[in-house]
């Protein structure tokens, strides 16, 4: 395929489709990195067995192999990569020098001397393979024809690993060529991995292994049974890449070689190459002696044969990588799936406590309790509608005028006695809600503290701290207070609607309408007398109960008992729905959002969908249909 998106057969691959696949790769890589950061949180109780760094390896494969393979012309333009990895002093540099035919890689007895990936390549290969795959070493500093400066253990501990790699043109080295490179390939020397300190840069080791088309693991008589090494060997072998194990610096002992094969055969099925221990005064002299051995020549020829397959080898490795990631994707995403489940569990808990401790108790203690007054307010609105035109409004205005002096006088006296203006009394509903909200918060706080005591996730400590915070509780209640006014407006509109419906039902019976209007006229006149006698009695207090009771009795006498019950039930249902909406938006949601998790369920679904598209496209490349 050419760079304009056309392949040799004239078939056009839409560039938008290609860009969409790269964007899908980036989304998956971002999500996998999130899963990687969560691994310590969801590790649980483990035994002393070294775990495979599966998430790191899959992320590395996505960046180093899958995404570059989706670029036009990948198999033809990307050379064969050979990566050598092994534990400290396992002879990686010796094997690399053997394969490139000169003493190119430095060797040192210092533990963790090799910290950075180093690429050795014939100058004829150029570096277009690097520029054409920007996802591979995006976070690394590149050093051309020189080694990156080494970090001390103290610097690694304080500042962390600074990713870097070296590009070393074999033609620019000042060492003598003893032979041509075993293949026209890029040979990578990976950092050590076997010590605890080296885990800081294990990601760099996995990047090279994920990039490579041929992987060579070196072991010695001291390191072949190392748990870290065998865990990596098992994982790399499962990924399907061409893998060699070289037993280096090995004494001529059939028993030792057999023991190495027996130990490693439980993790990998293949033939182990043995390189004999050679002597010499200098690195170059020892390398010359080693290259003269039949074992060394056999290894060079084996690598040459495999690298000669070039694009075919790369496509096969790509197909095996896709299969590996598909098999392991759920395992890698498991920390994120656990986050989603924990967020869902917290949401269910908040919803359950809200339902049990707030909404159900509100329904039983207020809507079904003796203090419920909204239906009485409905009947008061009905009385307004039943006023006799011309007469009723006059009496109502007179009643208001009679009450006004008493109200003003009462406020003046309260101001003199109590100083500041008295705070308006809460309605019975408001009192019930305030009490239930505090009870609800206490129940949530208790559950969060119980979860925090399990230490199963650091988020529980933060949630418990937030629920304990006076600021958070005050913010919740103040937000709900502001919402309560809007909620009451909704309820008042529903009260007015119920009153109109009852009035229209009454209006269908003219005789009943006239009787109720007459009764209502008497009520208005009576209320004026009661106000005068009681010194300004509030219309909504003792006056309201008897007057509404009379109207209700008249309606019941007219056979509207079931109808009134239905209207009251409808009002309660609408009122409960309104309070559920206010509670859900302004109380439940802020508490539920205290734990959002590192991923949402839809993100995992998108990642799986993206991975299916990516896998299908990569397999097309592996079959040579988009090369």
């Amino acid at each position: 395929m050419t760079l304009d998106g056309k392949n040799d057969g004239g078939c056009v691959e839409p560039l938008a489709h290609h860009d969409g696949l790269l964007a899908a790769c980036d989304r998956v890589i971002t999500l996998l990195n999130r899963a990687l950061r969560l691994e310590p949180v969801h590790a649980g109780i483990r035994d002393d067995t070294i775990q495979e760094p599966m998430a790191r390896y899959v992320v590395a494969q996505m960046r180093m192999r899958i995404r570059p393979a989706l670029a036009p012309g990948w198999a033809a333009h990307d050379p064969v990569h050979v990566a050598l990895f092994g534990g400290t002093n396992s002879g990686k540099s010796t094997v690399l020098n053997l394969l490139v035919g000169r003493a190119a890689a430095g060797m040192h007895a210092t533990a963790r001397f090799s910290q950075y990936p180093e690429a050795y390549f014939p100058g004829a290969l150029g570096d277009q393979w690097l520029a054409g795959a920007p996802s591979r070493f995006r976070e690394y500093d590149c050093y051309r024809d020189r080694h990156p400066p080494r970090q001390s253990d103290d610097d690694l501990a304080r500042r962390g690993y600074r990713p870097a790699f070296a590009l070393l043109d074999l033609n620019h080295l000042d060492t003598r060529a003893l032979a041509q490179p075993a293949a026209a390939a890029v040979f990578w020397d990976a950092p050590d991995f076997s010590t605890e300190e080296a885990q800081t840069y294990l990601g760099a080791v996995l990047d090279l292994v994920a990039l490579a088309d041929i992987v060579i693991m070196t072991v010695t008589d001291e390191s072949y049974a190392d748990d870290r090494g065998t865990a990596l060997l098992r994982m790399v072998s499962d990924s399907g890449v061409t893998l060699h194990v070289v037993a280096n610096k090995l004494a001529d002992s059939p028993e030792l070689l057999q023991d190495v094969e027996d130990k490693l055969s439980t993790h990998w099925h293949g033939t182990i190459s043995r390189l004999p221990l050679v002597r010499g005064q200098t690195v170059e002299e020892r390398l010359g002696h080693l290259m003269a051995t039949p074992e060394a020549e056999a290894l060079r020829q084996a690598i040459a044969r495999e690298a000669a397959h070039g694009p075919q080898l790369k496509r096969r490795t790509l197909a095996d990588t896709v299969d590996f990631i598909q098999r392991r994707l759920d395992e890698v995403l498991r920390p994120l799936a656990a986050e989603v489940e924990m967020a869902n569990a917290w949401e269910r808990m908040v919803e359950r406590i809200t339902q049990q401790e707030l909404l159900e108790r509100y329904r039983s203690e207020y809507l079904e309790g003796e203090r419920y007054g909204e239906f009485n307010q409905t009947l008061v609105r009905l009385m307004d509608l039943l006023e006799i035109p011309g007469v009723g409004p006059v009496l109502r205005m007179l009643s208001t005028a009679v009450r006004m002096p008493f109200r003003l006088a009462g406020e003046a006296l309260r101001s003199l006695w109590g100083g500041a203006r008295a705070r308006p009394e809460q309605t019975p509903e408001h009192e019930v809600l305030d009490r239930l909200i505090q009870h609800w918060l206490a129940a949530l706080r208790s559950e969060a503290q119980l979860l925090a005591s399990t230490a199963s996730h650091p988020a529980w400590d933060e949630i418990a701290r937030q629920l304990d915070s006076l600021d958070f509780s005050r913010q919740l209640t103040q937000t709900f207070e502001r919402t309560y006014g809007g909620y009451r407006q909704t309820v008042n509109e529903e009260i007015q609607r119920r009153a109109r419906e009852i009035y229209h039902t009454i209006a269908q019976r003219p005789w009943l309408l006239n009787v109720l209007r007459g009764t209502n006229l008497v009520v208005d006149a009576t209320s004026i007398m009661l106000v005068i006698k009681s010194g300004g009695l509030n219309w909504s207090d003792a006056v309201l109960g008897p007057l509404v009771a009379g109207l209700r009795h008249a309606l019941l006498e007219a056979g509207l008992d079931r109808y009134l019950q239905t209207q009251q039930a409808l009002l309660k249902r609408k009122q409960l729905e309104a309070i559920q909406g206010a509670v859900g938006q302004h109380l439940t949601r802020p508490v539920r959002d205290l734990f959002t998790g590192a991923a949402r369920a839809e993100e995992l679904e998108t990642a799986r969908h993206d991975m299916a598209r990516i896998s299908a496209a990569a397999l097309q490349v592996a079959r040579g249909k988009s090369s």
Side-chain angles (χ1 to χ4, degrees):
M1 177 175 291
T2 60
L3 294 178
D4 62 0
K6 296 181 180 179
N7 63 24
D8 295 336
C11 178
V12 177
E13 179 183 358
L15 292 178
H17 173 69
H18 171 256
D19 291 342
L21 286 172
L22 295 185
C25 272
D26 291 337
R27 285 194 298 270
V28 171
I29 290 169
T30 298
L31 198 67
L32 292 177
N33 275 319
R34 259 193 268 168
L36 178 58
R37 289 192 293 271
L38 282 170
E39 274 195 329
V41 175
H42 294 279
I45 300 175
R46 289 182 169 177
D47 55 26
D48 292 335
T49 304
I50 300 295
Q51 302 294 316
E52 298 172 346
M54 187 59 62
R56 287 191 186 187
Y57 189 40
V58 170
V59 171
Q61 287 176 316
M62 291 295 298
R63 287 191 298 103
M64 307 301 280
R65 190 188 308 282
I66 299 294
R67 196 182 190 282
L70 299 177
W74 163 76
H77 299 156
D78 196 27
V80 171
H81 295 270
V82 181
L84 293 99
F85 79 107
T88 299
N89 296 325
S90 63
K92 292 184 286 83
S93 298
T94 298
V95 177
L96 185 138
N97 289 339
L98 171 65
L99 295 177
V100 300
R102 65 173 69 199
M107 292 173 278
H108 204 281
T110 302
R112 302 179 302 283
F113 179 74
S114 176
Q115 293 180 329
Y116 303 100
E118 296 188 341
Y120 296 83
F121 63 97
L125 286 181
D127 62 358
Q128 180 57 36
W129 53 270
L130 182 61
S135 67
R136 279 181 171 163
F137 293 98
R138 181 174 293 160
E139 298 178 357
Y140 287 73
D141 291 329
C142 179
Y143 290 78
R144 293 181 179 272
D145 291 327
R146 60 193 179 101
H147 302 286
R150 189 176 182 277
Q151 290 181 254
S152 67
D153 287 349
D154 181 62
D155 188 43
L156 283 171
R158 286 188 296 107
R159 301 184 182 181
Y161 182 63
R162 294 191 291 272
F165 72 104
L167 285 178
L168 302 166
D169 187 336
L170 290 171
N171 298 332
H172 295 169
L173 299 181
D174 57 3
T175 56
R176 184 167 61 97
L178 303 181
Q180 290 297 314
V186 181
F187 295 88
W188 289 91
D189 190 6
D192 301 334
F193 65 80
S194 55
T195 62
E196 191 64 36
E197 293 81 359
Q199 298 309 295
T200 307
Y201 42 83
L202 178 61
V205 177
L206 297 176
D207 279 348
L208 293 196
V209 176
L211 164 69
D213 307 295
I214 301 171
V215 174
I216 301 173
M217 179 177 176
T218 57
V219 298
T220 65
D221 57 354
E222 296 178 351
S223 66
Y224 68 90
D226 176 71
D227 286 341
R228 286 195 175 94
T230 53
L232 287 179
L233 178 64
R234 181 171 57 249
M235 183 179 68
V236 174
S237 175
D238 188 40
S239 69
V241 68
T242 299
L243 177 61
H244 294 262
V245 174
V246 175
N248 199 21
K249 308 177 186 178
L250 220 61
D252 188 9
S253 168
E255 294 79 10
L256 176 59
L257 183 61
Q258 185 62 51
D259 189 57
V260 173
E261 291 177 349
D262 291 343
K263 289 287 194 305
L264 297 185
S265 64
T266 60
H267 309 284
W268 167 74
H269 300 291
T271 302
I272 296 176
S273 301
R274 171 186 171 272
L275 290 181
L277 180 64
V278 295
R279 305 291 181 183
Q281 296 296 319
T282 65
V283 172
E284 188 173 288
E285 184 178 346
R286 290 194 295 273
L287 178 61
H289 293 164
L290 180 62
M291 293 183 67
T293 65
E295 294 90 344
E297 182 59 25
L299 178 60
R300 281 174 55 89
Q301 290 180 5
I303 301 303
R305 285 193 300 272
E306 289 163 354
H309 292 290
Q312 181 182 350
L313 170 66
K314 298 181 76 67
R315 292 191 187 104
R316 181 184 62 75
T317 306
L318 175 63
D320 288 341
T321 300
V322 170
D323 174 69
F324 176 74
I325 292 177
Q326 287 176 329
R327 287 186 286 110
R328 297 299 192 119
L329 185 62
D330 285 343
E331 176 184 346
V332 175
L333 292 178
R334 192 171 297 147
L336 293 177
E339 289 277 304
V340 170
E341 179 51 39
M342 291 178 76
N344 290 340
W346 173 248
E347 180 177 348
R348 289 192 297 269
M349 179 184 294
V350 173
E351 294 287 350
R352 174 179 58 79
I353 293 174
T354 302
Q355 190 66 34
Q356 292 176 354
E357 305 297 338
L358 207 165
L359 295 175
E360 281 299 319
R361 293 186 61 172
Y362 167 79
R363 183 188 60 77
S364 63
E365 295 181 22
Y366 181 69
L367 294 182
E368 304 300 334
E370 294 180 356
R371 303 181 72 188
Y372 179 71
E374 276 72 11
F375 196 66
N376 281 348
Q377 295 175 32
T378 302
L379 296 181
V380 170
R381 301 286 177 85
L382 176 62
M383 291 169 69
D384 290 340
L385 297 174
L386 290 172
E387 289 176 344
I388 298 175
V391 179
V394 172
L395 286 175
R396 188 58 52 88
M397 290 175 62
L398 181 59
S399 173
T400 302
V402 168
R403 287 199 306 273
M404 184 62 67
F406 293 103
R407 182 181 303 152
L408 293 174
E411 289 180 357
L413 288 173
R414 280 194 296 270
S415 178
L416 288 172
W417 292 336
R421 191 185 203 106
R423 182 178 177 181
E425 289 187 10
Q426 286 186 324
T427 64
E429 179 191 44
H430 207 165
E431 290 178 3
V432 170
L433 282 172
D434 275 355
R435 176 169 49 81
L436 292 180
I437 288 171
Q438 295 307 313
H439 184 81
W440 169 76
L441 276 170
L444 288 169
R445 193 178 299 118
S446 176
E447 291 286 355
Q449 289 169 347
L450 181 61
L451 288 169
S453 68
T454 65
S456 59
H457 197 290
W460 301 133
D461 285 325
E462 177 61 20
I463 290 174
R465 188 190 66 79
Q466 285 273 37
L467 290 173
D468 270 335
S469 166
L470 290 177
D471 288 340
F472 182 76
S473 299
R474 189 179 300 114
Q475 182 180 353
L476 273 184
T477 53
Q478 288 176 350
T479 302
F480 188 76
E481 285 290 331
R482 291 193 293 269
T483 306
Y484 186 74
Y487 153 76
R488 283 308 310 178
Q489 182 177 349
T490 300
V491 172
N492 289 336
E493 291 171 356
E494 187 62 29
I495 288 173
Q496 189 66 39
R497 186 179 298 110
R498 295 293 130 214
R500 286 196 299 267
E501 287 194 14
I502 297 172
Y503 175 78
H504 291 319
T505 300
I506 293 171
Q508 295 173 12
R509 306 180 188 186
W511 64 269
L512 178 59
L513 179 60
N514 292 329
V515 169
L516 292 177
R517 277 180 169 173
T519 303
N520 197 42
L521 183 62
V522 174
V523 166
D524 284 343
T526 303
S527 68
I528 295 173
M529 298 303 298
L530 284 171
V531 169
I532 295 172
K533 289 181 65 177
S534 64
L537 187 66
N538 193 300
W539 174 258
S540 63
D541 296 331
V543 178
L544 183 61
L547 299 184
V548 168
L551 176 60
R552 183 190 289 267
H553 180 73
L555 293 172
L556 297 182
E557 288 291 325
L560 296 178
D561 184 19
R562 293 290 296 275
Y563 177 73
L564 288 180
Q565 291 178 8
T566 299
Q567 289 295 326
Q568 184 172 356
L570 287 172
L571 177 59
K572 288 182 177 180
R573 189 182 74 184
K574 293 291 185 180
Q575 195 167 350
L576 181 59
E577 290 174 356
I579 205 70
Q580 283 175 330
V583 166
Q585 182 175 358
H586 299 286
L587 293 180
T588 306
R589 180 183 294 176
V591 173
R592 183 189 64 204
D593 289 348
L594 290 177
F595 186 98
T596 55
R600 301 184 304 276
E602 54 267 29
E603 288 182 294
L604 294 182
E605 184 178 349
T606 298
R608 291 189 174 94
H609 176 71
D610 283 342
M611 199 63 230
R613 288 179 57 214
I614 294 165
S615 297
L619 288 175
Q620 287 287 95
V621 174
R623 297 184 186 108
K625 296 185 179 181
S626 298
S627 60

